[in-house]
Amino acid sequence: MAVSVLFVCMGNICRSPMAEAALRQECESAGLTMVIDSAGTHDWHTGKPPDERAQAVALRNGAPIDHLRARPVSAADFHAFDHIIALDNANLENLAAIQPPDGLATLSLLFDLVEGRAGQDVADPYYDTDSAFDTTWVDVVAGAKAIVAKLS
């Protein structure tokens, strides 16, 4: 059975879809099969595609995300996924607060898997410059590489 990973940020339009794409790309390169998805702790953008700046950086890096649509985390996700990985501490706290008592998913931060970065947040590029999305891409790729190394 394939390992399943859900990435979670606030609105599911920047960091988490980029992390989803980065892990898909790393799994493909490593010949691994994983179930990978993304969601948000808030439902503000439900049904909308990722931010255009996130789409642009992902496409430049060979991992298009224009087909993805934002969705909120659901109680079912805590049963459907092995790992629910937050992109920052605030969303990790939100996930811990809504996790059902019988939820089986392991909660963690993306950077907890990256040497020397445990406990750190992946910076939210939404209110920043376009170049912040490039930085976020580098960060989620580092996380994706660490996930592949740990789970393969």
Side-chain angles (χ1 to χ4, degrees):
M1 188 157 114
V3 172
S4 56
V5 176
L6 178 68
F7 291 106
V8 178
C9 66
M10 191 170 292
N12 191 213
I13 61 167
C14 296
R15 294 173 292 172
S16 58
M18 291 169 70
E20 177 183 347
L23 184 55
R24 286 186 193 284
Q25 195 172 55
E26 290 301 318
C27 284
E28 185 176 313
S29 294
L32 295 176
T33 300
M34 286 189 199
V35 175
I36 308 164
D37 198 1
S38 61
T41 56
H42 294 76
D43 63 1
W44 305 318
H45 305 290
T46 299
K48 295 181 182 174
D51 183 283
E52 290 179 1
R53 298 164 295 174
Q55 288 185 47
V57 73
L59 184 60
R60 277 196 309 274
N61 287 282
I65 58 173
D66 59 312
H67 63 286
L68 299 178
R69 295 295 177 264
R71 72 172 185 87
V73 173
S74 71
D77 289 327
F78 293 91
H79 300 281
F81 290 91
D82 300 313
H83 303 276
I84 299 180
I85 301 175
L87 279 288
D88 62 51
N89 281 283
N91 285 298
L92 182 61
E93 289 175 18
N94 290 339
L95 288 166
I98 64 172
Q99 183 175 27
D102 62 343
L104 303 174
T106 300
L107 301 181
S108 66
L109 284 172
L110 181 61
F111 277 155
D112 285 350
L113 302 171
V114 177
E115 189 173 332
R117 308 244 3 225
Q120 295 180 14
D121 295 344
V122 173
D124 187 349
Y126 187 75
Y127 293 107
D128 209 332
T129 63
D130 289 358
S131 66
F133 284 81
D134 291 307
T135 301
T136 298
W137 180 258
V138 170
D139 286 345
V140 297
V141 167
K145 288 178 184 295
I147 291 168
V148 166
K150 178 180 179 182
L151 299 178
S152 61

PDB file of all heavy atoms in Angstrom, residues 50-87:
ATOM      1  N   PRO A  50      -4.523  27.479  -7.693  1.00  0.00           N
ATOM      2  CA  PRO A  50      -3.452  28.120  -6.935  1.00  0.00           C
ATOM      3  C   PRO A  50      -3.177  29.543  -7.426  1.00  0.00           C
ATOM      4  O   PRO A  50      -3.481  29.900  -8.577  1.00  0.00           O
ATOM      5  CB  PRO A  50      -2.240  27.219  -7.199  1.00  0.00           C
ATOM      6  CG  PRO A  50      -2.829  25.889  -7.515  1.00  0.00           C
ATOM      7  CD  PRO A  50      -4.094  26.203  -8.275  1.00  0.00           C
ATOM      8  N   ASP A  51      -2.599  30.328  -6.563  1.00  0.00           N
ATOM      9  CA  ASP A  51      -2.181  31.688  -6.882  1.00  0.00           C
ATOM     10  C   ASP A  51      -1.367  31.664  -8.180  1.00  0.00           C
ATOM     11  O   ASP A  51      -0.565  30.757  -8.389  1.00  0.00           O
ATOM     12  CB  ASP A  51      -1.342  32.212  -5.714  1.00  0.00           C
ATOM     13  CG  ASP A  51      -0.901  33.644  -5.888  1.00  0.00           C
ATOM     14  OD1 ASP A  51       0.052  33.889  -6.681  1.00  0.00           O
ATOM     15  OD2 ASP A  51      -1.484  34.516  -5.243  1.00  0.00           O
ATOM     16  N   GLU A  52      -1.569  32.654  -9.024  1.00  0.00           N
ATOM     17  CA  GLU A  52      -0.867  32.699 -10.318  1.00  0.00           C
ATOM     18  C   GLU A  52       0.648  32.699 -10.160  1.00  0.00           C
ATOM     19  O   GLU A  52       1.368  32.131 -10.982  1.00  0.00           O
ATOM     20  CB  GLU A  52      -1.321  33.919 -11.121  1.00  0.00           C
ATOM     21  CG  GLU A  52      -2.745  33.797 -11.614  1.00  0.00           C
ATOM     22  CD  GLU A  52      -3.213  35.013 -12.401  1.00  0.00           C
ATOM     23  OE1 GLU A  52      -2.416  35.969 -12.597  1.00  0.00           O
ATOM     24  OE2 GLU A  52      -4.374  34.990 -12.831  1.00  0.00           O
ATOM     25  N   ARG A  53       1.142  33.314  -9.095  1.00  0.00           N
ATOM     26  CA  ARG A  53       2.595  33.347  -8.869  1.00  0.00           C
ATOM     27  C   ARG A  53       3.104  31.962  -8.481  1.00  0.00           C
ATOM     28  O   ARG A  53       4.188  31.559  -8.900  1.00  0.00           O
ATOM     29  CB  ARG A  53       2.936  34.389  -7.805  1.00  0.00           C
ATOM     30  CG  ARG A  53       2.541  35.815  -8.246  1.00  0.00           C
ATOM     31  CD  ARG A  53       2.522  36.777  -7.088  1.00  0.00           C
ATOM     32  NE  ARG A  53       1.459  36.396  -6.146  1.00  0.00           N
ATOM     33  CZ  ARG A  53       1.255  36.974  -4.965  1.00  0.00           C
ATOM     34  NH1 ARG A  53       2.058  37.957  -4.567  1.00  0.00           N
ATOM     35  NH2 ARG A  53       0.280  36.587  -4.177  1.00  0.00           N
ATOM     36  N   ALA A  54       2.310  31.230  -7.707  1.00  0.00           N
ATOM     37  CA  ALA A  54       2.678  29.851  -7.367  1.00  0.00           C
ATOM     38  C   ALA A  54       2.645  28.985  -8.626  1.00  0.00           C
ATOM     39  O   ALA A  54       3.535  28.152  -8.834  1.00  0.00           O
ATOM     40  CB  ALA A  54       1.723  29.288  -6.309  1.00  0.00           C
ATOM     41  N   GLN A  55       1.631  29.195  -9.457  1.00  0.00           N
ATOM     42  CA  GLN A  55       1.552  28.446 -10.712  1.00  0.00           C
ATOM     43  C   GLN A  55       2.770  28.720 -11.584  1.00  0.00           C
ATOM     44  O   GLN A  55       3.345  27.796 -12.170  1.00  0.00           O
ATOM     45  CB  GLN A  55       0.287  28.838 -11.490  1.00  0.00           C
ATOM     46  CG  GLN A  55      -0.989  28.324 -10.895  1.00  0.00           C
ATOM     47  CD  GLN A  55      -2.175  28.639 -11.777  1.00  0.00           C
ATOM     48  OE1 GLN A  55      -2.127  28.426 -12.997  1.00  0.00           O
ATOM     49  NE2 GLN A  55      -3.247  29.141 -11.180  1.00  0.00           N
ATOM     50  N   ALA A  56       3.174  29.974 -11.652  1.00  0.00           N
ATOM     51  CA  ALA A  56       4.299  30.351 -12.518  1.00  0.00           C
ATOM     52  C   ALA A  56       5.605  29.696 -12.060  1.00  0.00           C
ATOM     53  O   ALA A  56       6.348  29.153 -12.888  1.00  0.00           O
ATOM     54  CB  ALA A  56       4.446  31.872 -12.554  1.00  0.00           C
ATOM     55  N   VAL A  57       5.884  29.733 -10.770  1.00  0.00           N
ATOM     56  CA  VAL A  57       7.145  29.145 -10.289  1.00  0.00           C
ATOM     57  C   VAL A  57       7.118  27.626 -10.432  1.00  0.00           C
ATOM     58  O   VAL A  57       8.120  27.011 -10.801  1.00  0.00           O
ATOM     59  CB  VAL A  57       7.502  29.599  -8.852  1.00  0.00           C
ATOM     60  CG1 VAL A  57       6.631  28.954  -7.808  1.00  0.00           C
ATOM     61  CG2 VAL A  57       8.962  29.329  -8.557  1.00  0.00           C
ATOM     62  N   ALA A  58       5.983  27.015 -10.171  1.00  0.00           N
ATOM     63  CA  ALA A  58       5.890  25.557 -10.332  1.00  0.00           C
ATOM     64  C   ALA A  58       6.082  25.171 -11.795  1.00  0.00           C
ATOM     65  O   ALA A  58       6.821  24.218 -12.099  1.00  0.00           O
ATOM     66  CB  ALA A  58       4.548  25.049  -9.805  1.00  0.00           C
ATOM     67  N   LEU A  59       5.468  25.897 -12.692  1.00  0.00           N
ATOM     68  CA  LEU A  59       5.605  25.609 -14.123  1.00  0.00           C
ATOM     69  C   LEU A  59       7.052  25.792 -14.583  1.00  0.00           C
ATOM     70  O   LEU A  59       7.585  24.957 -15.319  1.00  0.00           O
ATOM     71  CB  LEU A  59       4.672  26.500 -14.931  1.00  0.00           C
ATOM     72  CG  LEU A  59       4.629  26.250 -16.433  1.00  0.00           C
ATOM     73  CD1 LEU A  59       4.169  24.828 -16.742  1.00  0.00           C
ATOM     74  CD2 LEU A  59       3.704  27.261 -17.103  1.00  0.00           C
ATOM     75  N   ARG A  60       7.699  26.859 -14.116  1.00  0.00           N
ATOM     76  CA  ARG A  60       9.113  27.090 -14.471  1.00  0.00           C
ATOM     77  C   ARG A  60       9.991  25.933 -14.020  1.00  0.00           C
ATOM     78  O   ARG A  60      11.040  25.677 -14.598  1.00  0.00           O
ATOM     79  CB  ARG A  60       9.634  28.379 -13.827  1.00  0.00           C
ATOM     80  CG  ARG A  60       9.318  29.629 -14.569  1.00  0.00           C
ATOM     81  CD  ARG A  60      10.162  30.821 -14.129  1.00  0.00           C
ATOM     82  NE  ARG A  60      10.201  31.077 -12.711  1.00  0.00           N
ATOM     83  CZ  ARG A  60       9.310  31.811 -12.043  1.00  0.00           C
ATOM     84  NH1 ARG A  60       8.284  32.349 -12.672  1.00  0.00           N
ATOM     85  NH2 ARG A  60       9.447  32.006 -10.738  1.00  0.00           N
ATOM     86  N   ASN A  61       9.560  25.241 -12.989  1.00  0.00           N
ATOM     87  CA  ASN A  61      10.331  24.128 -12.451  1.00  0.00           C
ATOM     88  C   ASN A  61       9.796  22.776 -12.912  1.00  0.00           C
ATOM     89  O   ASN A  61      10.138  21.734 -12.338  1.00  0.00           O
ATOM     90  CB  ASN A  61      10.375  24.219 -10.927  1.00  0.00           C
ATOM     91  CG  ASN A  61      11.279  25.339 -10.478  1.00  0.00           C
ATOM     92  OD1 ASN A  61      12.495  25.194 -10.490  1.00  0.00           O
ATOM     93  ND2 ASN A  61      10.704  26.477 -10.119  1.00  0.00           N
ATOM     94  N   GLY A  62       8.973  22.785 -13.943  1.00  0.00           N
ATOM     95  CA  GLY A  62       8.509  21.538 -14.552  1.00  0.00           C
ATOM     96  C   GLY A  62       7.438  20.792 -13.788  1.00  0.00           C
ATOM     97  O   GLY A  62       7.271  19.586 -13.976  1.00  0.00           O
ATOM     98  N   ALA A  63       6.705  21.489 -12.913  1.00  0.00           N
ATOM     99  CA  ALA A  63       5.687  20.836 -12.091  1.00  0.00           C
ATOM    100  C   ALA A  63       4.395  21.659 -12.101  1.00  0.00           C
ATOM    101  O   ALA A  63       4.046  22.294 -11.106  1.00  0.00           O
ATOM    102  CB  ALA A  63       6.205  20.666 -10.667  1.00  0.00           C
ATOM    103  N   PRO A  64       3.674  21.678 -13.220  1.00  0.00           N
ATOM    104  CA  PRO A  64       2.473  22.516 -13.307  1.00  0.00           C
ATOM    105  C   PRO A  64       1.434  22.176 -12.237  1.00  0.00           C
ATOM    106  O   PRO A  64       1.242  21.006 -11.896  1.00  0.00           O
ATOM    107  CB  PRO A  64       1.930  22.236 -14.710  1.00  0.00           C
ATOM    108  CG  PRO A  64       2.630  21.028 -15.206  1.00  0.00           C
ATOM    109  CD  PRO A  64       3.885  20.872 -14.415  1.00  0.00           C
ATOM    110  N   ILE A  65       0.783  23.224 -11.718  1.00  0.00           N
ATOM    111  CA  ILE A  65      -0.234  23.044 -10.681  1.00  0.00           C
ATOM    112  C   ILE A  65      -1.553  23.729 -11.047  1.00  0.00           C
ATOM    113  O   ILE A  65      -2.447  23.823 -10.213  1.00  0.00           O
ATOM    114  CB  ILE A  65       0.262  23.551  -9.308  1.00  0.00           C
ATOM    115  CG1 ILE A  65       0.650  25.028  -9.358  1.00  0.00           C
ATOM    116  CG2 ILE A  65       1.411  22.689  -8.797  1.00  0.00           C
ATOM    117  CD1 ILE A  65       1.001  25.641  -7.997  1.00  0.00           C
ATOM    118  N   ASP A  66      -1.679  24.173 -12.284  1.00  0.00           N
ATOM    119  CA  ASP A  66      -2.879  24.906 -12.676  1.00  0.00           C
ATOM    120  C   ASP A  66      -4.152  24.068 -12.599  1.00  0.00           C
ATOM    121  O   ASP A  66      -5.253  24.596 -12.498  1.00  0.00           O
ATOM    122  CB  ASP A  66      -2.725  25.486 -14.081  1.00  0.00           C
ATOM    123  CG  ASP A  66      -2.457  24.430 -15.132  1.00  0.00           C
ATOM    124  OD1 ASP A  66      -1.578  23.571 -14.920  1.00  0.00           O
ATOM    125  OD2 ASP A  66      -3.132  24.467 -16.181  1.00  0.00           O
ATOM    126  N   HIS A  67      -4.021  22.744 -12.596  1.00  0.00           N
ATOM    127  CA  HIS A  67      -5.178  21.846 -12.528  1.00  0.00           C
ATOM    128  C   HIS A  67      -5.679  21.638 -11.098  1.00  0.00           C
ATOM    129  O   HIS A  67      -6.777  21.128 -10.893  1.00  0.00           O
ATOM    130  CB  HIS A  67      -4.816  20.479 -13.132  1.00  0.00           C
ATOM    131  CG  HIS A  67      -3.725  19.784 -12.372  1.00  0.00           C
ATOM    132  ND1 HIS A  67      -2.402  20.185 -12.441  1.00  0.00           N
ATOM    133  CD2 HIS A  67      -3.766  18.752 -11.495  1.00  0.00           C
ATOM    134  CE1 HIS A  67      -1.677  19.401 -11.647  1.00  0.00           C
ATOM    135  NE2 HIS A  67      -2.479  18.528 -11.057  1.00  0.00           N
ATOM    136  N   LEU A  68      -4.892  22.031 -10.103  1.00  0.00           N
ATOM    137  CA  LEU A  68      -5.273  21.832  -8.705  1.00  0.00           C
ATOM    138  C   LEU A  68      -6.334  22.845  -8.286  1.00  0.00           C
ATOM    139  O   LEU A  68      -6.384  23.955  -8.830  1.00  0.00           O
ATOM    140  CB  LEU A  68      -4.057  21.957  -7.789  1.00  0.00           C
ATOM    141  CG  LEU A  68      -2.921  20.957  -8.029  1.00  0.00           C
ATOM    142  CD1 LEU A  68      -1.763  21.231  -7.077  1.00  0.00           C
ATOM    143  CD2 LEU A  68      -3.414  19.534  -7.884  1.00  0.00           C
ATOM    144  N   ARG A  69      -7.163  22.466  -7.318  1.00  0.00           N
ATOM    145  CA  ARG A  69      -8.184  23.352  -6.778  1.00  0.00           C
ATOM    146  C   ARG A  69      -8.127  23.298  -5.256  1.00  0.00           C
ATOM    147  O   ARG A  69      -7.979  22.226  -4.663  1.00  0.00           O
ATOM    148  CB  ARG A  69      -9.591  22.948  -7.251  1.00  0.00           C
ATOM    149  CG  ARG A  69      -9.798  23.088  -8.761  1.00  0.00           C
ATOM    150  CD  ARG A  69      -9.714  24.557  -9.196  1.00  0.00           C
ATOM    151  NE  ARG A  69      -9.831  24.750 -10.630  1.00  0.00           N
ATOM    152  CZ  ARG A  69      -8.800  24.873 -11.471  1.00  0.00           C
ATOM    153  NH1 ARG A  69      -7.549  24.774 -11.029  1.00  0.00           N
ATOM    154  NH2 ARG A  69      -9.007  25.095 -12.754  1.00  0.00           N
ATOM    155  N   ALA A  70      -8.258  24.467  -4.643  1.00  0.00           N
ATOM    156  CA  ALA A  70      -8.176  24.565  -3.188  1.00  0.00           C
ATOM    157  C   ALA A  70      -9.352  23.858  -2.530  1.00  0.00           C
ATOM    158  O   ALA A  70     -10.466  23.849  -3.050  1.00  0.00           O
ATOM    159  CB  ALA A  70      -8.156  26.035  -2.771  1.00  0.00           C
ATOM    160  N   ARG A  71      -9.042  23.259  -1.398  1.00  0.00           N
ATOM    161  CA  ARG A  71     -10.081  22.618  -0.587  1.00  0.00           C
ATOM    162  C   ARG A  71      -9.673  22.709   0.875  1.00  0.00           C
ATOM    163  O   ARG A  71      -8.487  22.789   1.203  1.00  0.00           O
ATOM    164  CB  ARG A  71     -10.276  21.163  -1.002  1.00  0.00           C
ATOM    165  CG  ARG A  71      -9.135  20.240  -0.590  1.00  0.00           C
ATOM    166  CD  ARG A  71      -9.497  18.786  -0.855  1.00  0.00           C
ATOM    167  NE  ARG A  71      -8.517  17.834  -0.387  1.00  0.00           N
ATOM    168  CZ  ARG A  71      -8.465  17.312   0.838  1.00  0.00           C
ATOM    169  NH1 ARG A  71      -9.333  17.679   1.753  1.00  0.00           N
ATOM    170  NH2 ARG A  71      -7.549  16.421   1.165  1.00  0.00           N
ATOM    171  N   PRO A  72     -10.659  22.692   1.772  1.00  0.00           N
ATOM    172  CA  PRO A  72     -10.318  22.684   3.192  1.00  0.00           C
ATOM    173  C   PRO A  72     -10.035  21.276   3.688  1.00  0.00           C
ATOM    174  O   PRO A  72     -10.502  20.290   3.113  1.00  0.00           O
ATOM    175  CB  PRO A  72     -11.583  23.246   3.853  1.00  0.00           C
ATOM    176  CG  PRO A  72     -12.691  22.873   2.921  1.00  0.00           C
ATOM    177  CD  PRO A  72     -12.083  22.877   1.536  1.00  0.00           C
ATOM    178  N   VAL A  73      -9.271  21.185   4.758  1.00  0.00           N
ATOM    179  CA  VAL A  73      -9.025  19.913   5.433  1.00  0.00           C
ATOM    180  C   VAL A  73     -10.365  19.416   5.970  1.00  0.00           C
ATOM    181  O   VAL A  73     -11.187  20.202   6.450  1.00  0.00           O
ATOM    182  CB  VAL A  73      -8.037  20.102   6.607  1.00  0.00           C
ATOM    183  CG1 VAL A  73      -7.909  18.830   7.416  1.00  0.00           C
ATOM    184  CG2 VAL A  73      -6.694  20.552   6.104  1.00  0.00           C
ATOM    185  N   SER A  74     -10.569  18.114   5.910  1.00  0.00           N
ATOM    186  CA  SER A  74     -11.789  17.518   6.460  1.00  0.00           C
ATOM    187  C   SER A  74     -11.422  16.493   7.531  1.00  0.00           C
ATOM    188  O   SER A  74     -10.278  16.026   7.593  1.00  0.00           O
ATOM    189  CB  SER A  74     -12.588  16.830   5.351  1.00  0.00           C
ATOM    190  OG  SER A  74     -11.918  15.661   4.920  1.00  0.00           O
ATOM    191  N   ALA A  75     -12.393  16.137   8.338  1.00  0.00           N
ATOM    192  CA  ALA A  75     -12.162  15.112   9.365  1.00  0.00           C
ATOM    193  C   ALA A  75     -11.728  13.805   8.713  1.00  0.00           C
ATOM    194  O   ALA A  75     -10.895  13.073   9.258  1.00  0.00           O
ATOM    195  CB  ALA A  75     -13.423  14.912  10.202  1.00  0.00           C
ATOM    196  N   ALA A  76     -12.256  13.521   7.540  1.00  0.00           N
ATOM    197  CA  ALA A  76     -11.908  12.281   6.834  1.00  0.00           C
ATOM    198  C   ALA A  76     -10.427  12.227   6.471  1.00  0.00           C
ATOM    199  O   ALA A  76      -9.851  11.137   6.383  1.00  0.00           O
ATOM    200  CB  ALA A  76     -12.763  12.137   5.582  1.00  0.00           C
ATOM    201  N   ASP A  77      -9.802  13.386   6.276  1.00  0.00           N
ATOM    202  CA  ASP A  77      -8.382  13.409   5.924  1.00  0.00           C
ATOM    203  C   ASP A  77      -7.508  12.778   7.008  1.00  0.00           C
ATOM    204  O   ASP A  77      -6.475  12.194   6.705  1.00  0.00           O
ATOM    205  CB  ASP A  77      -7.908  14.849   5.673  1.00  0.00           C
ATOM    206  CG  ASP A  77      -8.456  15.438   4.388  1.00  0.00           C
ATOM    207  OD1 ASP A  77      -8.646  14.676   3.416  1.00  0.00           O
ATOM    208  OD2 ASP A  77      -8.694  16.657   4.366  1.00  0.00           O
ATOM    209  N   PHE A  78      -7.930  12.875   8.250  1.00  0.00           N
ATOM    210  CA  PHE A  78      -7.149  12.322   9.349  1.00  0.00           C
ATOM    211  C   PHE A  78      -7.194  10.790   9.370  1.00  0.00           C
ATOM    212  O   PHE A  78      -6.416  10.155  10.075  1.00  0.00           O
ATOM    213  CB  PHE A  78      -7.630  12.893  10.684  1.00  0.00           C
ATOM    214  CG  PHE A  78      -7.339  14.364  10.818  1.00  0.00           C
ATOM    215  CD1 PHE A  78      -8.269  15.318  10.421  1.00  0.00           C
ATOM    216  CD2 PHE A  78      -6.123  14.796  11.322  1.00  0.00           C
ATOM    217  CE1 PHE A  78      -8.001  16.669  10.536  1.00  0.00           C
ATOM    218  CE2 PHE A  78      -5.846  16.151  11.446  1.00  0.00           C
ATOM    219  CZ  PHE A  78      -6.791  17.094  11.043  1.00  0.00           C
ATOM    220  N   HIS A  79      -8.098  10.231   8.594  1.00  0.00           N
ATOM    221  CA  HIS A  79      -8.200   8.776   8.444  1.00  0.00           C
ATOM    222  C   HIS A  79      -7.634   8.320   7.097  1.00  0.00           C
ATOM    223  O   HIS A  79      -7.132   7.209   6.984  1.00  0.00           O
ATOM    224  CB  HIS A  79      -9.654   8.325   8.570  1.00  0.00           C
ATOM    225  CG  HIS A  79     -10.264   8.665   9.892  1.00  0.00           C
ATOM    226  ND1 HIS A  79     -10.022   7.927  11.026  1.00  0.00           N
ATOM    227  CD2 HIS A  79     -11.078   9.679  10.252  1.00  0.00           C
ATOM    228  CE1 HIS A  79     -10.669   8.471  12.034  1.00  0.00           C
ATOM    229  NE2 HIS A  79     -11.322   9.534  11.603  1.00  0.00           N
ATOM    230  N   ALA A  80      -7.722   9.194   6.112  1.00  0.00           N
ATOM    231  CA  ALA A  80      -7.327   8.829   4.744  1.00  0.00           C
ATOM    232  C   ALA A  80      -5.821   8.936   4.500  1.00  0.00           C
ATOM    233  O   ALA A  80      -5.297   8.268   3.608  1.00  0.00           O
ATOM    234  CB  ALA A  80      -8.071   9.706   3.736  1.00  0.00           C
ATOM    235  N   PHE A  81      -5.128   9.777   5.268  1.00  0.00           N
ATOM    236  CA  PHE A  81      -3.708  10.019   5.030  1.00  0.00           C
ATOM    237  C   PHE A  81      -2.855   9.493   6.175  1.00  0.00           C
ATOM    238  O   PHE A  81      -3.232   9.589   7.340  1.00  0.00           O
ATOM    239  CB  PHE A  81      -3.434  11.521   4.827  1.00  0.00           C
ATOM    240  CG  PHE A  81      -3.985  12.023   3.529  1.00  0.00           C
ATOM    241  CD1 PHE A  81      -5.271  12.546   3.465  1.00  0.00           C
ATOM    242  CD2 PHE A  81      -3.239  11.938   2.367  1.00  0.00           C
ATOM    243  CE1 PHE A  81      -5.795  12.986   2.266  1.00  0.00           C
ATOM    244  CE2 PHE A  81      -3.757  12.373   1.154  1.00  0.00           C
ATOM    245  CZ  PHE A  81      -5.039  12.894   1.105  1.00  0.00           C
ATOM    246  N   ASP A  82      -1.679   8.961   5.813  1.00  0.00           N
ATOM    247  CA  ASP A  82      -0.709   8.517   6.815  1.00  0.00           C
ATOM    248  C   ASP A  82      -0.030   9.702   7.482  1.00  0.00           C
ATOM    249  O   ASP A  82       0.221   9.694   8.684  1.00  0.00           O
ATOM    250  CB  ASP A  82       0.380   7.647   6.161  1.00  0.00           C
ATOM    251  CG  ASP A  82      -0.185   6.414   5.494  1.00  0.00           C
ATOM    252  OD1 ASP A  82      -1.010   5.727   6.117  1.00  0.00           O
ATOM    253  OD2 ASP A  82       0.209   6.147   4.334  1.00  0.00           O
ATOM    254  N   HIS A  83       0.286  10.712   6.678  1.00  0.00           N
ATOM    255  CA  HIS A  83       1.025  11.883   7.147  1.00  0.00           C
ATOM    256  C   HIS A  83       0.304  13.144   6.708  1.00  0.00           C
ATOM    257  O   HIS A  83       0.012  13.304   5.523  1.00  0.00           O
ATOM    258  CB  HIS A  83       2.446  11.903   6.575  1.00  0.00           C
ATOM    259  CG  HIS A  83       3.225  10.676   6.887  1.00  0.00           C
ATOM    260  ND1 HIS A  83       3.906  10.514   8.075  1.00  0.00           N
ATOM    261  CD2 HIS A  83       3.412   9.535   6.191  1.00  0.00           C
ATOM    262  CE1 HIS A  83       4.484   9.329   8.083  1.00  0.00           C
ATOM    263  NE2 HIS A  83       4.199   8.713   6.955  1.00  0.00           N
ATOM    264  N   ILE A  84       0.032  14.022   7.659  1.00  0.00           N
ATOM    265  CA  ILE A  84      -0.488  15.352   7.347  1.00  0.00           C
ATOM    266  C   ILE A  84       0.605  16.319   7.762  1.00  0.00           C
ATOM    267  O   ILE A  84       0.976  16.396   8.942  1.00  0.00           O
ATOM    268  CB  ILE A  84      -1.823  15.639   8.050  1.00  0.00           C
ATOM    269  CG1 ILE A  84      -2.880  14.632   7.583  1.00  0.00           C
ATOM    270  CG2 ILE A  84      -2.260  17.080   7.770  1.00  0.00           C
ATOM    271  CD1 ILE A  84      -4.258  14.822   8.207  1.00  0.00           C
ATOM    272  N   ILE A  85       1.128  17.033   6.771  1.00  0.00           N
ATOM    273  CA  ILE A  85       2.311  17.860   6.976  1.00  0.00           C
ATOM    274  C   ILE A  85       1.947  19.330   6.803  1.00  0.00           C
ATOM    275  O   ILE A  85       1.568  19.766   5.710  1.00  0.00           O
ATOM    276  CB  ILE A  85       3.431  17.450   6.000  1.00  0.00           C
ATOM    277  CG1 ILE A  85       3.786  15.969   6.221  1.00  0.00           C
ATOM    278  CG2 ILE A  85       4.645  18.353   6.180  1.00  0.00           C
ATOM    279  CD1 ILE A  85       4.801  15.415   5.241  1.00  0.00           C
ATOM    280  N   ALA A  86       2.064  20.075   7.896  1.00  0.00           N
ATOM    281  CA  ALA A  86       1.781  21.507   7.879  1.00  0.00           C
ATOM    282  C   ALA A  86       2.992  22.276   7.376  1.00  0.00           C
ATOM    283  O   ALA A  86       4.134  21.872   7.592  1.00  0.00           O
ATOM    284  CB  ALA A  86       1.402  21.980   9.282  1.00  0.00           C
ATOM    285  N   LEU A  87       2.719  23.403   6.743  1.00  0.00           N
ATOM    286  CA  LEU A  87       3.798  24.230   6.229  1.00  0.00           C
ATOM    287  C   LEU A  87       4.269  25.263   7.250  1.00  0.00           C
ATOM    288  O   LEU A  87       5.308  25.881   7.052  1.00  0.00           O
ATOM    289  CB  LEU A  87       3.368  24.924   4.934  1.00  0.00           C
ATOM    290  CG  LEU A  87       3.444  24.074   3.663  1.00  0.00           C
ATOM    291  CD1 LEU A  87       4.869  23.833   3.251  1.00  0.00           C
ATOM    292  CD2 LEU A  87       2.681  22.790   3.693  1.00  0.00           C
TER     293      LEU A  87
END
